[in-house]
Amino acid sequence: MCGIFCLLSLSPAQFERDKKIYEHLKRRGPDSSQDLTVRGTHSCYHCLFSAHVLHMRGILTTQPVQDSAGNVLLWNGEIFGGVPVKPEENDTAVIAQRLSSCNSPSEVVSVLSTIRGPWGFVYYQRAADCLWFGRDFFGRRSLLWKFDESINALTLTSVAAYSSGLDQSAWREVPAAGVYRIDLKAATEAGSVMFEVFPWAHGGNHPDSGCSDTILESVPSCCSAVMNEAGLVLTSPVCPLNTSIPESINEEEIHSDSCIKDLEQLLASKEKQHEVNGLIDVLSEAIRRRVQALPFRIQDDPPPTYDHARVAVLFSGGIDSMILAVLADHHIPAHEPIDLLNVAFKLQEPKKQKESAKKPKKHNNKPTHDKPGAESQTSGPFDVPDRITGRAGLKELQDLNPERRWNFVEVNVTQEELQEMRQERVCHLVYPLDTVLDDSIGCAVWFASRGKGFISEDEDDQKPFTSSAKVILTGIGADEQLAGYSRHRVRFKTSGHEGLIQELAMELGRISSRNLGRDDRVIGDHGKEARFPYLDEDVVSFLNSLPVWEKADLTLPRGVGEKLLLRLTARQLGLGQSAVLPKRAMQFGSRIAKMEDKREKASDKCTRLLTG
């Protein structure tokens, strides 16, 4: 993973890079930092390329990568399929070599279409005097853009910095609707930038009608965008969404009360077994690719020991993170620990508890199978719902593999630290997103992925602990594909299967702009890499191929019907109570929402983010 930055200036005027942006980029890539300036041969444009590398694979390859022909690559990505990469090879070098052999736009588009995995890139083709850039199909890596009219310059960067000045709304996320090409000679002559768009083919989840609108809404001021004249498109990496609607179900009657079908009973069906095993196969392989062949440390770390984990899971004890942990356990060497990062924001203590809270609380970290509602019986200031289900989940994992060292990292956050780090770091990382929900999720993920907290050696002893893992698995994508949110039930109730299918298609189509860019910026700030197994192209294709009623049955109660296929998978993998936990959003499970203004709506602009 990398922090990448490109400033394209269309005039000979000198420019200065924002020092705060440089600091953010360097934190993303602590292993190598380098700048490179390129000037046009026949035009007066010049480009500053800056790259900051987090070494994850093969031999450390410094960036920007420049070949003998003068082409320059900034690559922020991981190749998990499509393009062969040997264990000893670095994927940046492999992609640079592939792109160097391209002599036409169609060849560049062909190379990018074959890659499976997350990526954001900037590529300068010297002979053609053009600049390519873009994000992968799902937008799993952040890329922002801004045009500064005062210096006639376009900036592309992995992360920006919030400013309370006049340009506070200038930065926008580059839409993950395709890749973009700038004719640098034409841009210099015109004194303005036009983006030639090469869209993703709409065989996947991006709605046809919205693609052009999405791009045009996000184009920086003083710039324009047009579809490429040759009609070239990138091949969708996933199969189309199955839009079948069941004929045998009378949608007028499915909302009556129904008894809870036992997951074990459903698993007895051969058809269900086939689907569950299919999901286990593709998801297990997706996780294998993301947890194996990892370096132990960055150059300045102490020598590696078996006490240090290389993989962590954002962990609530809910079904999404439990399945990630179970399958990661299948592929990570037995002697290595796995870190389970569990974040909690300090509860405001009721007055009657203040006296008893002064006394040290024993057995606070004992794993327990607390049921929903049990949080009301706890007295610890960090005993939030996700901490309780997290401990219960830890016990299930220990029962499944008692030989594994599971580091359950209790990340405890006070209101004072939240306010301090929001203003110092998180407001810049969440930006240009600015809602209450972005603030809550951004802060929770930032603290969790930092991995600084406590672990318990036994029931009474806690010790400070900071996770060493550079790869962080996150469960995002499961709810969007398997109808895990409460709004899916609402849509199903009002519009049946047809409405639910439309909702799921929209969810995956907008996941880049609502979640992934933000989460990549937030997690990357710690010099760690977010990996999203539920958004692996093969996993998405498998789930897209199934009819919606096989993935979720919203005629069943909460904790069973939503994400039904994943719940059956959990049972097949040997999980117990966690397989039937209802969905609980991170902002509520971690209790960060309780710390803030309770009258706010998730979609409101968050004033706390706008005072940095």
Side-chain angles (χ1 to χ4, degrees):
M1 190 196 76
C2 304
I4 61 177
F5 176 96
C6 172
L7 192 150
L8 163 65
S9 175
L10 300 179
S11 69
Q14 293 297 312
F15 53 84
E16 286 191 16
R17 176 174 41 192
D18 187 310
K19 290 180 180 177
K20 188 167 281 292
I21 292 177
Y22 186 84
E23 291 170 5
H24 294 323
L25 291 165
K26 199 164 183 180
R27 278 197 292 271
R28 287 178 64 88
D31 295 342
S32 167
S33 294
Q34 190 168 277
D35 292 349
L36 174 68
T37 301
V38 170
R39 299 185 182 277
T41 309
H42 306 294
S43 306
C44 63
Y45 71 82
H46 54 284
C47 295
L48 168 64
F49 299 99
S50 184
H52 309 266
V53 177
L54 175 68
H55 177 221
M56 300 298 293
R57 192 175 198 169
I59 299 168
L60 174 62
T61 301
T62 58
Q63 295 191 47
V65 175
Q66 186 172 33
D67 66 16
S68 58
N71 302 313
V72 178
L73 174 65
L74 299 176
W75 175 254
N76 175 26
E78 295 287 342
I79 299 174
F80 294 127
V83 176
V85 181
K86 296 175 184 175
E88 69 277 7
E89 288 184 317
N90 180 276
D91 58 351
T92 304
V94 170
I95 289 298
Q97 188 174 15
R98 289 270 180 137
L99 290 173
S100 293
S101 66
C102 295
N103 296 310
S104 67
S106 63
E107 291 176 349
V108 173
V109 167
S110 177
V111 168
L112 296 172
S113 292
T114 60
I115 301 167
R116 299 293 177 264
W119 50 264
F121 84 109
V122 179
Y123 183 60
Y124 169 64
Q125 273 189 310
R126 187 166 184 81
D129 261 339
C130 68
L131 192 72
W132 292 84
F133 61 95
R135 303 163 70 192
D136 71 81
F137 184 79
F138 295 116
R140 289 164 288 188
R141 292 290 173 256
S142 170
L143 192 63
L144 310 178
W145 57 9
K146 179 184 81 166
F147 188 83
D148 189 334
E149 197 176 1
S150 65
I151 59 173
N152 210 21
L154 173 76
T155 305
L156 300 163
T157 181
S158 297
V159 60
Y162 172 76
S163 168
S164 56
L166 295 175
D167 68 339
Q168 60 179 288
S169 62
W171 287 105
R172 295 176 184 174
E173 291 187 324
V174 175
V179 297
Y180 307 81
R181 179 180 180 270
I182 302 171
D183 182 326
L184 296 173
K185 188 175 180 181
T188 305
E189 292 172 353
S192 61
V193 174
M194 177 180 285
F195 307 110
E196 194 177 6
V197 183
F198 298 79
W200 290 102
H202 302 304
N205 297 86
H206 292 280
D208 288 7
S209 59
C211 178
S212 299
D213 293 341
T214 300
I215 294 169
L216 292 174
E217 287 169 6
S218 301
V219 167
S221 59
C222 304
C223 300
S224 57
V226 295
M227 292 295 165
N228 72 91
E229 290 183 0
L232 296 171
V233 296
L234 293 107
T235 307
S236 171
V238 298
C239 76
L241 182 66
N242 187 325
T243 57
S244 302
I245 295 173
E247 296 177 4
S248 59
I249 296 178
N250 183 345
E251 296 192 352
E252 298 296 321
E253 299 175 3
I254 56 176
H255 310 304
S256 59
D257 292 338
S258 59
C259 61
I260 297 176
K261 298 175 185 175
D262 184 75
L263 294 180
E264 296 285 352
Q265 208 170 13
L266 285 170
L267 271 175
S269 155
K270 284 186 179 180
E271 187 180 2
K272 285 293 183 190
Q273 277 282 350
H274 177 74
E275 291 161 358
V276 165
N277 290 335
L279 180 56
I280 290 174
D281 288 345
V282 292
L283 189 53
S284 180
E285 175 59 18
I287 291 172
R288 184 195 68 77
R289 295 191 200 116
R290 286 161 174 78
V291 302
Q292 291 188 347
L294 299 174
F296 258 108
R297 68 194 195 283
I298 60 175
Q299 292 168 324
D300 297 331
D301 276 353
T305 71
Y306 292 145
D307 292 334
H308 291 83
R310 292 187 286 180
V311 175
V313 181
L314 289 185
F315 189 76
S316 66
I319 185 170
D320 306 342
S321 59
M322 285 293 290
I323 286 179
L324 293 182
V326 171
L327 293 177
D329 178 50
H330 293 179
H331 299 294
I332 294 172
H335 55 259
E336 288 186 28
I338 295 175
D339 291 348
L340 307 173
L341 309 179
N342 183 275
V343 65
F345 292 82
K346 190 175 183 180
L347 294 168
Q348 302 303 313
E349 296 177 69
K351 289 181 180 179
K352 62 182 180 180
Q353 289 187 2
K354 285 188 176 178
E355 283 302 313
S356 60
K358 291 177 183 177
K359 299 176 183 178
K361 180 173 178 269
K362 290 192 174 185
H363 308 299
N364 189 42
N365 301 290
K366 186 177 181 179
T368 173
H369 286 275
D370 289 292
K371 295 179 180 178
E375 55 264 31
S376 61
Q377 302 169 17
T378 64
S379 58
F382 294 104
D383 285 337
V384 302
D386 279 0
R387 180 62 48 81
I388 295 166
T389 54
R391 290 179 190 138
L394 170 65
K395 179 65 167 61
E396 287 193 41
L397 294 173
Q398 289 171 333
D399 289 344
L400 283 175
N401 187 356
E403 302 303 315
R404 169 80 64 189
R405 178 171 171 180
W406 300 95
N407 289 325
F408 183 69
V409 187
E410 299 191 17
V411 178
N412 298 331
V413 187
T414 63
Q415 188 165 26
E416 294 74 21
E417 188 177 18
L418 169 64
Q419 292 170 347
E420 177 188 356
M421 299 316 298
R422 174 192 283 123
Q423 296 310 314
E424 185 180 323
R425 302 276 273 277
V426 182
C427 72
H428 301 292
L429 303 168
V430 170
Y431 181 70
L433 305 187
D434 59 4
T435 68
V436 169
L437 183 64
D438 292 316
D439 171 54
S440 296
I441 299 295
C443 290
V445 171
W446 189 88
F447 280 104
S449 57
R450 184 173 68 166
K452 184 179 180 181
F454 300 89
I455 59 172
S456 299
E457 293 296 323
D458 55 46
E459 292 179 359
D460 300 310
D461 181 37
Q462 273 195 332
K463 70 173 185 178
F465 182 88
T466 300
S467 173
S468 60
K470 291 166 67 174
V471 164
I472 297 185
L473 302 180
T474 166
I476 193 165
D479 290 306
E480 288 79 0
Q481 296 179 82
L482 291 153
Y485 294 120
S486 58
R487 60 179 174 267
H488 293 135
R489 282 191 177 273
V490 173
R491 186 66 186 273
F492 179 70
K493 191 171 184 178
T494 58
S495 308
H497 283 99
E498 187 172 358
L500 179 59
I501 290 166
Q502 292 170 357
E503 191 79 12
L504 294 177
M506 180 186 69
E507 292 277 10
L508 210 51
R510 69 183 184 181
I511 197 171
S512 64
S513 59
R514 283 175 67 94
N515 305 90
L516 295 174
R518 177 199 65 210
D519 289 358
D520 175 64
R521 293 190 293 275
V522 166
I523 293 173
D525 189 57
H526 302 296
K528 301 180 180 185
E529 181 171 288
R531 294 188 173 177
F532 311 100
Y534 290 108
L535 292 172
D536 178 88
E537 289 84 351
D538 290 342
V539 173
V540 175
S541 284
F542 175 78
L543 292 175
N544 274 0
S545 72
L546 298 176
V548 67
W549 65 89
E550 300 290 2
K551 295 181 280 191
D553 184 350
L554 300 187
T555 66
L556 298 177
R558 284 187 73 227
V560 181
E562 74 279 12
K563 297 191 286 194
L564 176 61
L565 181 59
L566 206 59
R567 297 183 187 284
L568 293 169
T569 298
R571 286 299 300 139
Q572 182 84 334
L573 292 170
L575 294 174
Q577 182 65 26
S578 60
V580 291
L581 284 177
K583 166 69 181 177
R584 186 168 52 219
M586 189 179 196
Q587 65 270 29
F588 301 120
S590 67
R591 282 298 191 256
I592 186 172
K594 286 272 189 180
M595 274 192 171
E596 311 295 0
D597 186 347
K598 299 177 182 64
R599 295 164 296 177
E600 296 173 319
K601 294 179 181 177
S603 58
D604 288 347
K605 282 206 171 187
C606 182
T607 55
R608 295 179 295 279
L609 288 171
L610 306 179
T611 56

